[in-house]
Amino acid sequence: MQAESLATLDTPALVLDRGRMDANIRHMRKRAAALGVTLRPHLKTCKSVDVARRMVEPGDPVTVSTLREAEYFAEAGFTDIFYAVAIAPQKLDRVAALQQGGARILLAVDSFEAAREIGLAGERLGVRFEVLIEIDSGDGRSGIACDVPQLQDIAAALANGASLAGVFTHGGHSYAGRSADQHADVAEQERAAVTAAASTLRTAGHACPIVSLGSTPSVVHARSLEGVTEVRAGVYVFFDLFQAGIGSCEEGDIALAVLTTVIGNHPERGQIVVDAGALALSKDISTKALGAAGDCGYGLVADADTGAVMEGLYVHGVSQEHGIIRSNGAIEHAGFHIGRRLLVLPNHACLTAAAHDRYHVVDGGTAIEAVWPRVNGW
Amino acid sequence: MQAESLATLDTPALVLDRGRMDANIRHMRKRAAALGVTLRPHLKTCKSVDVARRMVEPGDPVTVSTLREAEYFAEAGFTDIFYAVAIAPQKLDRVAALQQGGARILLAVDSFEAAREIGLAGERLGVRFEVLIEIDSGDGRSGIACDVPQLQDIAAALANGASLAGVFTHGGHSYAGRSADQHADVAEQERAAVTAAASTLRTAGHACPIVSLGSTPSVVHARSLEGVTEVRAGVYVFFDLFQAGIGSCEEGDIALAVLTTVIGNHPERGQIVVDAGALALSKDISTKALGAAGDCGYGLVADADTGAVMEGLYVHGVSQEHGIIRSNGAIEHAGFHIGRRLLVLPNHACLTAAAHDRYHVVDGGTAIEAVWPRVNGW
């Protein structure tokens, strides 16, 4: 029984505004074209074939964060997939099966040990794994520095059952930036690191065709990506309060929200209670890092009929299935009858979306035009 | 293709130790018996029929946090189900369908407005909804005070299509307690509030048969529950680092963990990288509130072969599919080869479990004895 509007849908539920999403997709395509690079969008945010088909053509390059995503998108006809998390050797059987099914799967590696295992597994499984070496450009999460001897050792270890397809970096530290200039500086750190690594490898005789970097803020703000062949970005497809807070977008670009219902109204403590809690919103509080002016608690509140953000209202606290709404000013409690529908804009779209198994698609109104499934898990 | 041990299972994956869980279940049953109350366990933690059947007999009373749980457990033969979140009127159709299918569904309400709507809906749908009034005993999330006129107004509004089944409170503020005495004090606040409300209602002529309170810490530590008929607790079935930190259990009682694989080993920055990140662990950082000595980051690390916690190791940071392990001391990096299996103990079992769709059941070893599905979503 499919609900037909935001007034009748069971809550909590994930709502996606198609018009806003399509505009975000158009802008990022233009941005990549202006930078002269291929856009290899990261599908870890959407995890949806219906969304992905609006982002790229099936033969276009894409990025994923789990093998389940790789399998799901390959099944749907996507044939050039970068699994951008360093591969655990135990997962190589699943990768080989995908390749034997006709998809090109690019793998990530940042150690000699893993590179050697990938090569041996390729020989054993009768495939050639294509691998990108991960470079750390300042994020300090994964990858090796661009100027260490391990770079060439790893490349040399990719023999027989494996081959070197290129280098990549993820400037996750762009999330710490607070201005366009700071984001542009991180993008330049990424560019400098991957192009230096590519240059070293090419001098040593490796082709190194792919030179990849990315994160939404660095692609939005990069000054130049000379020497880079591809950019990866994902959250831009929906955007969120954190991205708005650091200047990657405007609040009005956010295409994702959680529909919720008022289940309590407590003037005596200045609180509205809704049926979207930690499980429906996630416990992401990333906007706290933006300071008092940017802190959105667990999300900002919008009117479900108009989509307009309601001045001062935010989700102050969550338990598993309760959200507590407070206001920076005063709440007009009479307006929040039990059963009223509200929207909560997410701090972090990737995590909020992952709490749900489908999107309810609207286009600037309250009518549900489509229901699009997501692929969660591993 | 079902993996057979923690060495071969695809990661990240949720692992449940049956022996520890069964001991937790036994202890809580004894505790409720010693207090002279009925245990109505909260199944929002496990969301699993296989687990629930070890907690109670199908005809025993249980508690749920979503209607999807109610539907799932009713389908499995559970017939006395309290949905302990204030009901949104739009959900009453689903509740009526469950009742017409033979289950007893108890509803929660904390406003006159909702009580009246429930009564009208019951008349319209041809059922009698049984309702518990929620009392706020100090948590400040939902419920009304035990001594306000609304209590009797709500009870009076439950006419025709609804009837009053009792009162309940949730002492969520027990989570702020740091000693057995503080937890016992919260339990006494809960007891005092619900028994006072029940007394008021009985004086006014309502039967008020159910007087319910609960949270794991308050049930573990209550001094007396005189006048209370039922207790609700859920997280005790698995326990977690937060509950160990506030004294509800020992670390060795924790029955739940996330199996993960080492995908990076970086002596140059003192970090191990694993394939369990924000989506597999959740972003719950509740142990941060316990101070430096109790802060477990995003979870503590255990050896997958022995289950033993590895001194000083914790998950320092997460991104979507990466976990960064650091140590309070020094890491012996040579021990963490790429592909090594580790376990991460959760801060908050309810949220970590909700990131997964099944349990891989072990019993003190590494062999997977069973796979038990979970019911997520709404």
Side-chain angles (χ1 to χ4, degrees), chain B residues 364-375:
Chain B
T366 60
I368 310 292
E369 300 190 346
V371 176
W372 291 344
R374 281 175 50 88
V375 63

Side-chain angles (χ1 to χ4, degrees), chain B residues 7 26 35 81 83 95 179 192 285 303 364:
Chain B
R26 279 196 305 274
L35 288 162
I81 301 174
Y83 170 47
V95 176
S179 69
I285 48 168
D303 183 90

